[in-house]
Amino acid sequence: DTEVSVGYTYPIDTLSDKTTEQEDKPKRKKFVKPSVDDVLAYCRERSNQVDPQRFYDYYESNGWKVGKNPMKDWKAAVRTWERNDYSGNSGGSDLFDVRNQYWDENDPTVH
């Protein structure tokens, strides 16, 4: 009888290696939807002009998404509204008044 031996220079069980790699990755916190009071408190803390109810209603109506992606950080979204002056003072139904941003007031076709 002849015995044959096969030597391996790498681990056969790569599944266990993948498991340890996945365990090393930090886990992302699950998004927790804020209350209107949470948004109000954050806006007061930042002394901004964002309307907390308008912010809440906007994201509540679209499922707390930013574009097509689920929201990850509502405080970052508040800061974006703050930078873009989505304060609710424009009186329009959109987040900002498109006419003021894109149309030339001197253009006779606009009026």
Side-chain angles (χ1 to χ4, degrees):
D1 281 326
T2 306
E3 217 172 283
V4 177
S5 173
V6 178
Y8 290 99
T9 59
Y10 57 90
I12 296 172
D13 185 9
T14 57
L15 181 61
S16 62
D17 289 342
K18 289 180 183 177
T19 304
T20 57
E21 287 175 17
Q22 290 172 349
E23 290 171 2
D24 292 343
K25 291 182 182 178
K27 300 204 188 235
R28 182 175 302 208
K29 290 182 182 179
K30 183 180 177 191
F31 175 75
V32 177
K33 177 176 74 169
S35 67
V36 175
D37 289 337
D38 293 334
V39 178
L40 174 63
Y42 188 63
C43 288
R44 282 185 178 161
E45 178 184 319
R46 294 192 53 81
S47 299
N48 64 30
Q49 298 298 312
V50 173
D51 179 340
Q53 186 67 56
R54 188 173 186 189
F55 175 89
Y56 183 88
D57 290 345
Y58 176 80
Y59 284 108
E60 184 71 12
S61 71
N62 77 5
W64 293 91
K65 292 188 182 265
V66 179
K68 294 182 181 180
N69 302 312
M71 184 175 287
K72 296 177 185 174
D73 183 353
W74 66 267
K75 289 182 178 181
V78 167
R79 293 189 300 270
T80 299
W81 277 44
E82 183 180 314
R83 276 190 308 278
N84 293 326
D85 192 28
Y86 298 155
S87 60
N89 296 329
S90 68
S93 61
D94 290 333
L95 293 176
F96 53 94
D97 189 346
V98 176
R99 288 172 297 165
N100 290 339
Q101 186 173 6
Y102 296 109
W103 293 354
D104 182 354
E105 291 182 14
N106 297 321
D107 184 348
T109 61
V110 173
H111 303 288

